[in-house]
Amino acid sequence: MSNPRLRRRVQYSATLVASALLLASCQNPANQEDKDEASATPTTTSSSTSAEKTSEASSTASSSSSATSSSSASSSATSSSTKSSSSHAKQRSEIEGHVVVLSTGGTIASTHDDKGAVVPTVKGSDLVDPLYSEFDKDKLELEVKDIANLDSSAMTLADTDKIITAVHEQLQRNDVDGVIVTHGTDSMEETAIALDTFHDSDKPVVLTGAMRPFDDDDPDGPENLATAVETVTNPDYAGHGAFIAFDGKVIPARGAFKSDTEKADGFATNSQEKFPERPEPLKYAPLGDVRVDIIAAYPGAPADLIEQSLAKGAQAIVIEGMGSGNIGPDLANAAMEAAKSVPVVLTTRVDHGPVEGIYGGAGGGATLADAGVIPSGNLRAPQARILLAAAVATGTDAQKLFSPAG
Ligand code: ASP
């Protein structure tokens, strides 16, 4: 098959068929061992056992707060995850290690204000203390550092820099086995891929958060944090970068996205693998001064969206196209012109599947790829933007961050 794009598509389809077969075999109890080994994404974790565990941890958390009704933030959130054990899963009370928990805010650290709105107010130590109802303090040290108390939709790349720097500082300590970052869910996928891109340690970094606030009658934060502890102390995850642990699932940073505004099962992945192939980690350079814009390529979107973005100082551009990565002719002309001077990545507004340049025509993905526009593979606009910021900040060829893994 001579057309490389077509070949990639066939390979991708073959991967999907293989994944479907794998999933089918995982559902057969006789293949339980295969499930533990190959574990289709997102992986489930934990020795966690049950709803009792959730409510046990939750009630401890609630008791230290002024529980109010679960009105504003996701009151109808439900957990739909299934649990399984990884080859290294241990009972929580058996887990050992020294983990640093960096608290940055988000719903997990939020309470209702006097108007009933949810705002971050809670310190990291209040998030961690309830965990000792299940984990053994003599075996597991959870060292807490408060580094921000933000709603993650308010974060800037300067805040991302602060988190990356804090994580690196902790990972360099010989006495620390891994780092957990508690974080708002709105931009967790951005911080996760930023950490992953600069992650040059074998020790895991795991992000978690919550869909229901700390003072909810049934907060999901305590159980999510417990899952993060299980993940960060599990040697299976060592050497594979950053993960999101959420609602009993463990999702690799690359390809993760927030998939529900309300449900406890709030994250999904567009990665095809438990441990997606990652580019070589970049040597950290601050992202705070870099400007990368995301442009939504709705049908009929005009060229000046890109022209104005460049005029305002964008150093790279992400275009969120349609379907498998296609845009209208006007915007396409501007995109191809822009690609002569700055990195331009094409992604899609569709949640799942690859973007790799299939269609011809004025704004088809294949036409754009031929003109130097980089297809985003499995990544979507928020994560593509972070990779472009990292490429600009470090002087890296952006293409290297998107391929071959996507
Ligand atoms: N707005 C919140 C945040 O991202 C949402 C959450 O944490 O679930 O900080």
Side-chain angles (χ1 to χ4, degrees):
M1 193 178 301
S2 59
N3 182 338
R5 279 191 286 272
L6 218 49
R7 194 167 54 236
R8 274 204 305 275
R9 186 143 184 82
V10 170
Q11 281 165 350
Y12 178 73
S13 304
T15 310
L16 282 185
V17 171
S19 304
L21 289 172
L22 177 62
L23 275 173
S25 73
C26 285
Q27 273 148 19
N28 176 354
N31 290 332
Q32 183 62 35
E33 224 167 79
D34 295 347
K35 180 178 182 177
D36 292 346
E37 283 300 308
S39 184
T41 50
T43 40
T44 52
T45 185
S46 99
S47 45
S48 71
T49 45
S50 55
E52 284 136 64
K53 206 162 243 178
T54 309
S55 58
E56 195 183 301
S58 304
S59 62
T60 321
S62 307
S63 64
S64 63
S65 67
S66 53
T68 60
S69 91
S70 55
S71 55
S72 355
S74 316
S75 58
S76 66
T78 51
S79 168
S80 61
S81 67
T82 50
K83 315 275 184 187
S84 73
S85 339
S86 99
S87 51
H88 288 92
K90 285 183 178 174
Q91 289 301 311
R92 288 181 175 172
S93 59
E94 295 302 314
I95 287 177
E96 294 173 300
H98 181 174
V99 174
V100 175
V101 180
L102 302 175
S103 173
T104 72
T107 296
I108 191 170
S110 290
T111 52
H112 293 82
D113 67 12
D114 51 10
K115 294 191 190 112
V118 174
V119 284
T121 53
V122 177
K123 285 170 52 181
S125 54
D126 293 326
L127 305 182
V128 163
D129 286 348
L131 264 58
Y132 287 116
S133 64
E134 291 187 273
F135 295 92
D136 182 346
K137 218 167 194 158
D138 292 334
K139 296 185 178 134
L140 176 73
E141 182 178 355
L142 295 171
E143 182 184 336
V144 182
K145 295 193 182 296
D146 291 293
I147 59 171
N149 210 354
L150 289 169
D151 187 295
S152 72
S153 59
M155 283 184 177
T156 63
L157 287 178
D159 296 309
T160 313
D161 284 331
K162 206 166 154 188
I163 296 172
I164 297 170
T165 308
V167 167
H168 285 190
E169 202 178 299
Q170 298 308 319
L171 290 176
Q172 274 160 19
R173 287 172 54 186
N174 289 333
D175 61 333
V176 167
D177 300 311
V179 173
I180 292 173
V181 180
T182 60
H183 196 288
T185 60
D186 288 357
S187 68
M188 192 182 289
E189 64 213 62
E190 276 107 327
T191 302
I193 200 160
L195 287 168
D196 194 69
T197 302
F198 295 111
H199 189 87
D200 60 358
S201 166
D202 272 346
K203 302 173 189 175
V205 56
V206 179
L207 296 92
T208 195
M211 297 298 286
R212 298 186 294 262
F214 182 82
D215 62 355
D216 190 276
D217 291 341
D218 180 22
D220 53 333
E223 181 59 23
N224 284 346
L225 192 48
T227 304
V229 171
E230 290 172 321
T231 308
V232 82
T233 54
N234 184 337
D236 288 354
Y237 293 95
H240 296 289
F243 293 89
I244 292 176
F246 216 90
D247 195 41
K249 299 191 293 196
V250 183
I251 293 174
R254 271 185 92 86
F257 61 97
K258 186 168 179 180
S259 57
D260 202 294
T261 58
E262 190 171 68
K263 288 185 184 145
D265 184 10
F267 280 86
T269 176
N270 191 33
S271 165
Q272 308 304 315
E273 290 142 26
K274 176 179 180 180
F275 301 128
E277 196 179 333
R278 300 162 55 230
E280 281 297 303
L282 299 183
K283 194 166 158 27
Y284 172 66
L287 307 176
D289 290 334
V290 179
R291 175 167 171 171
V292 181
D293 287 351
I294 297 175
I295 291 172
Y298 51 86
D304 61 22
L305 293 177
I306 290 179
E307 290 157 4
Q308 288 181 22
S309 166
L310 292 175
K312 289 285 181 191
Q315 294 153 285
I317 288 181
V318 177
I319 303 174
E320 189 179 62
M322 296 165 271
S324 61
N326 306 300
I327 63 180
D330 266 9
L331 201 65
N333 285 335
M336 291 188 282
E337 191 54 34
K340 292 177 187 162
S341 51
V342 299
V344 179
V345 163
L346 177 64
T347 182
T348 178
R349 64 189 187 184
V350 180
D351 282 349
H352 292 283
V355 171
E356 50 187 10
I358 309 280
Y359 290 88
T367 309
L368 293 167
D370 287 342
V373 174
I374 302 166
S376 71
N378 288 331
L379 306 181
R380 294 302 183 256
Q383 294 202 324
R385 174 176 158 268
I386 297 297
L387 291 192
L388 282 182
V392 170
T394 58
T396 304
D397 174 5
Q399 176 74 62
K400 289 193 177 141
L401 302 182
F402 288 88
S403 60

